[in-house]
Structure formats: structure tokens, C-alpha cells
Amino acid sequence: MASNLRKKPFLDYQAQIKYLKQKQLVINNEVSATAVLEKVSYYGLINGYKDVFKDPATNNFYPDTTFDDIYNLYLFDAELRDVFLKYILIFEKHVKSSISYHFSNTYGNGIAFYQNINNYDYGHHLSDVQYLFRKMNGKINGRHPSPQIAHYMNTYQDVPLWVLTTDVTIGETATMYRYLKGHCKTLVCNDFHHIGRNELGKMLIILTKYRNICAHGNRLFNAKTQDSIPDLIAHKKLQIPKVNSRYQQGKSDLFATVISLKYLLDNTDFHMFYYDLKKVIKKYNPSVKTLELMGFPSNWMSILRIKVY
């Protein structure tokens, strides 16, 4: 069977270096560049981060662009992922704790309660909740349950929600939140500075997607989502520009995650997040173009001082 990859032939490291030079990329140390390509791969480095540095008119790199410029963006993105993942996980633990507490306090704490369809407001989306139940059952009754779930099943033949949530993904948590009944959903929102129910739901979706990007080591800095967070007081206070009544930054880009964490983390955690983020940006000094691709307005640091709740 003939391969469809003849237009993308295998290139050894020397050929990769030669090709990059043909594209006008400055490579001052070929030995060092080869070592980087061996470690992170041509696809992971060049295909992942070249667009910022390439002239679309010529398909060559902009004049004086160096291999190190691309590698530094790669390293910057890797450290960004570490920072964002750390603080999204703090929120993830908090929201799981909040949901399990209020749901259990309202309905009961065992399988019969959190898999009772009557305890959800599913409308025309019964199949979504049923799918969530199947995912829960897989964690409880699957071939390789986690030690904590196995302990509760062996000891009590039941698993409280606060134990199950240690295995539930943030995406499954977002689904559960989406179909909570109004009163229970409000109690959860009250744990996050009394944020609106719709706002928290939208932020959960955005944070789920960016959390997974970070966890899987995918390119983060210019990632966009099809979903967006609602217009918020933070957008207004930061004076983010609008086009056709739509904010141009902080809606479905990485800065939307920053805004979401401003609302969802407590003050201490957000301050730590802000200074960790600022430290990485200062270390790598990304270009204005890179910051724009991240959705960061020029006054992004003002987010530390503004009050949103």
C-alpha cells in the first residue's frame, strides 16, 4: 500500500538543519540546535512555534530570526503550562469539594443519591446525565478502581461523592455542575465569591479545555477555544477594546483563563498565580505580538488591583 506521505519525507537531523537554513532561519550553533531537535523533535518545536516568526508572504522566517528565538518561545510556553496547570488544579480541587459537599448535604452522600436522575435538572439532555452515570460506574465498578474507591466498596459497598470526585475529571465535574438543580448550583457559586451560575458554568468549560492543554503538553500560549466566558466587569475595568460590541481579548483565549482565575481563586492564591505568571513573562520577555496572541492587553498587570466582587 503506497504511503500518502511522499510530500513529507523523513529528514535526518542534518537535513532538518539544512532545510531551516534554506528558510532563512539563523542557526549559530548547529550542534546545539541538533541536540534540541533530538530532545523535543522538529514537529514539537518548529511546527509548533514557527508561525510567530514566519512571513506568510514568502513562507520564510523574518530576517534575523534565530533558532534560539523559536526555542525560547517553546520554553516560555512550557513554563506557562506549569503555572496555569498549578492554579487551575487548585480551583479544580475547590470546585469538586464544593459540589460534593453541597450535593451530599442536600440529597445524600452515596451512589443511590448522586446517580438518581431526579436529583438533576437535565431538561432535554437526559442522555448527558446518563453518560455521566456510566462514567461514574466505570470508576466504581471497573476492573482497576483506584485504591480509595476499592477500599470504600470493600468496606461499605458504597462510595461517597467526596471520594468519587478524586477520580472524576474536571470535564465530568463541569457536566455535573451543568445539570445540578438551581438551589444546589447557587450554593456552589456562593463558595466562589457569589459568582453567577452561568458565569461559573462558562468558566468551568474554558478552564477544562485549558487544563487539558496544559496536562497533555500541547501548545498553550496562542490556544483559542470555541467557547467563551461571558462579558464581565473585569473586561470593562481593564478597558479591553470592543469590535461590534464584542470584547477582543479575554473571552476565548489564554487571558480568559487569567480572568476566570481572578474570579474563582481566593485572594492569596490569585496573588501567587499573578506573581508566578509575571515572573515567567519577565524571564522570557515575549514580544508584543506573542502577548497579543495570548489575548493579554497591554495593561494586563492591572488585573491584580481591580475589584471584581
Side-chain angles (χ1 to χ4, degrees):
M1 180 176 170
S3 172
N4 293 320
L5 294 176
R6 283 176 291 182
K7 293 183 179 180
K8 290 286 186 180
F10 169 81
L11 299 177
D12 62 24
Y13 294 121
Q14 287 183 327
Q16 291 173 17
I17 295 290
K18 181 178 179 181
Y19 177 76
L20 290 171
K21 285 188 168 184
Q22 290 173 350
K23 291 293 184 180
Q24 308 303 310
L25 183 66
V26 178
I27 302 178
N28 295 313
N29 188 326
E30 293 189 16
V31 174
S32 175
T34 299
V36 170
L37 292 172
E38 289 175 352
K39 184 167 61 174
V40 303
S41 85
Y42 184 99
Y43 181 83
L45 178 66
I46 304 301
N47 286 42
Y49 297 91
K50 65 183 179 182
D51 290 347
V52 176
F53 305 101
K54 291 196 80 173
D55 184 344
T58 64
N59 201 32
N60 289 331
F61 290 96
Y62 289 115
D64 301 321
T65 301
T66 69
F67 185 91
D68 288 343
D69 290 332
I70 301 175
Y71 188 43
N72 281 336
L73 180 57
Y74 171 89
L75 294 174
F76 171 60
D77 200 45
E79 292 199 31
L80 273 184
R81 286 195 299 269
D82 290 342
V83 170
F84 276 88
L85 182 59
K86 176 182 177 179
Y87 291 96
I88 292 173
L89 286 176
I90 289 173
F91 160 72
E92 180 179 339
K93 288 182 179 180
H94 188 181
V95 76
K96 286 180 178 180
S97 174
S98 177
I99 290 173
S100 64
Y101 178 88
H102 293 299
F103 188 97
S104 299
N105 190 44
T106 302
Y107 302 109
N109 65 3
I111 297 172
F113 298 98
Y114 57 76
Q115 292 198 18
N116 183 341
I117 197 69
N118 295 317
N119 293 335
Y120 297 86
D121 186 6
Y122 52 86
H124 299 293
H125 301 278
L126 174 61
S127 61
D128 288 355
V129 181
Q130 290 174 330
Y131 179 73
L132 176 63
F133 291 172
R134 290 197 296 273
K135 298 293 285 186
M136 290 175 171
N137 280 329
K139 300 173 197 302
I140 296 168
N141 300 310
R143 294 179 62 183
H144 303 288
S146 64
Q148 59 270 22
I149 286 178
H151 167 74
Y152 270 86
M153 284 300 290
N154 291 335
T155 306
Y156 304 104
Q157 294 76 54
D158 206 342
V159 180
L161 184 56
W162 61 81
V163 173
L164 179 65
T165 53
T166 62
D167 279 26
V168 167
T169 68
I170 188 172
E172 292 158 357
T173 302
T175 299
M176 186 173 186
Y177 171 82
R178 179 181 178 184
Y179 296 114
L180 289 179
K181 290 189 174 181
H183 173 67
C184 195
K185 195 176 285 188
T186 297
L187 292 173
V188 172
C189 290
N190 291 346
D191 289 339
F192 295 92
H193 314 289
H194 298 269
I195 193 171
R197 295 186 302 195
N198 178 61
E199 283 80 2
L200 179 54
K202 294 290 187 181
M203 289 177 180
L204 255 172
I205 293 170
I206 289 286
L207 291 174
T208 295
K209 294 183 177 182
Y210 280 100
R211 185 254 197 231
N212 291 337
I213 288 171
C214 293
H216 296 147
N218 294 327
R219 186 179 62 229
L220 174 67
F221 80 99
N222 64 343
K224 301 286 193 298
T225 70
Q226 292 183 340
D227 301 284
S228 62
I229 62 173
D231 292 354
L232 299 162
I233 191 67
H235 295 100
K236 182 178 181 180
K237 288 190 174 183
L238 288 168
Q239 299 180 326
I240 293 176
K242 285 184 175 183
V243 174
N244 295 326
S245 300
R246 178 175 171 80
Y247 287 112
Q248 295 302 291
Q249 295 166 301
K251 292 287 290 180
S252 56
D253 48 34
L254 189 57
F255 195 63
T257 302
V258 177
I259 291 175
S260 296
L261 292 175
K262 171 72 173 181
Y263 281 84
L264 300 175
L265 294 177
D266 64 32
N267 286 330
T268 299
D269 286 331
F270 185 79
H271 274 69
M272 292 173 63
F273 164 67
Y274 170 85
Y275 287 114
D276 285 349
L277 176 59
K278 185 179 176 181
K279 181 179 178 180
V280 172
I281 290 176
K282 182 178 180 181
K283 176 180 178 180
Y284 288 96
N285 191 25
S287 66
V288 171
K289 180 179 180 180
T290 298
L291 288 171
E292 288 175 349
L293 289 170
M294 293 163 60
F296 279 46
S298 59
N299 65 338
W300 74 268
M301 288 186 287
S302 299
I303 196 165
L304 183 67
R305 300 188 302 272
I306 66 172
K307 292 184 179 180
V308 296
Y309 47 79

